Amino acid sequence: MYFAALLARTEDGWEASDTELDDVETLSDLADLAREASPEEDTVLVLIEQEDAWFGVVRVDGEDDPRIYVSDAAAAARSAYGELLLTDELLGREPGSDGPDLDALDLDGTEDGESDDEDEDDEDGPSADAVGHGPVGDSEILDDLGVSEKELRALDAEDALGSIAEALGASEVLETVR
C-alpha cells in the first residue's frame, strides 16, 4: 500500500494535499504535478511511502530540476512508484543502461513453460542487480527546512513522513490527508 502527498510551502505555512500517482508516468510528470500545487513557485515536497519498506522525497523549487531522496533504492526498485524516482542519473548509470538487450532475448515463442528461468529473471532482473540497498539521492534535500542529512538518513521508513512533517511544522496538515 502506498501513500503519497504534496506539501506546498505558502506564506501562511504548509498546505497538504493527497495525490494520486496513477497517471504519473515520469519524473517530469511528477514535477509538473508538484508545480501545479504551488502557483507562486514556492517549494513543494512530494512525499511517498510504501508499507514501511521505503520512502521518498521529491523537492521542486519553481522551475528548478527536481531533487530526489530515496531511503532504500533496492526496495524502491521493486515498486512502480519507486522506479519513477530511480532515474539513471540518481543511480549513477548511463541513460538506458538498465534496459534489456533486445538482441539477446529469445523471441522464438519457446519462453512459455520455462518457469525456472522466469523465476530467476524475477529475482535477478536488471533492477535487482543494478540497484543496491541503502539510500540514494540528495540527502541534503531538507537541510534548509530543518531536517539534516544525518536525521534524514536515520529515519525509519515506518514513521519517516510523520517525522519529516513534524520537523517542518506540517504534521497536522499532513495528517488531514492521510
Side-chain angles (χ1 to χ4, degrees):
M1 178 163 196
Y2 293 93
F3 172 72
L6 296 173
L7 283 180
R9 185 165 59 177
T10 68
E11 292 177 5
D12 301 326
W14 292 95
E15 291 182 6
S17 58
D18 188 11
T19 187
E20 285 292 324
L21 299 179
D22 293 341
D23 295 332
V24 175
E25 295 179 8
T26 66
L27 182 58
S28 293
D29 293 344
L30 185 61
D32 290 343
L33 182 69
R35 287 184 186 103
E36 290 172 11
S38 179
E40 300 297 319
E41 295 192 6
D42 290 322
T43 298
V44 179
L45 301 176
V46 181
L47 305 175
I48 302 171
E49 70 180 2
Q50 181 193 8
E51 293 184 349
D52 307 334
W54 66 274
F55 70 93
V57 178
V58 179
R59 179 176 178 163
V60 178
D61 294 300
E63 291 300 317
D64 292 346
D65 287 340
R67 296 166 56 192
I68 305 166
Y69 176 82
V70 176
S71 66
D72 185 336
R78 293 185 294 273
S79 150
Y81 297 131
E83 286 182 345
L84 179 74
L85 304 179
L86 297 175
T87 63
D88 289 334
E89 180 181 346
L90 188 70
L91 297 172
R93 299 189 296 217
E94 288 296 318
S97 65
D98 61 337
D101 179 2
L102 296 179
D103 293 331
L105 290 178
D106 179 13
L107 299 176
D108 65 0
T110 60
E111 58 272 4
D112 294 338
E114 294 179 10
S115 60
D116 291 342
D117 291 341
E118 288 175 13
D119 290 344
E120 283 179 18
D121 289 345
D122 288 345
E123 294 171 5
D124 301 325
S127 296
D129 287 341
V131 180
H133 287 278
V136 295
D138 184 353
S139 57
E140 297 175 355
I141 191 170
L142 301 173
D143 271 0
D144 64 325
L145 300 174
V147 181
S148 71
E149 174 181 3
K150 183 178 180 181
E151 292 168 324
L152 185 62
R153 288 181 174 269
L155 291 176
D156 185 287
E158 183 177 341
D159 61 353
L161 300 190
S163 297
I164 290 169
E166 186 175 323
L168 299 175
S171 56
E172 287 183 24
V173 293
L174 182 65
E175 284 305 312
T176 62
V177 297
R178 208 176 249 279

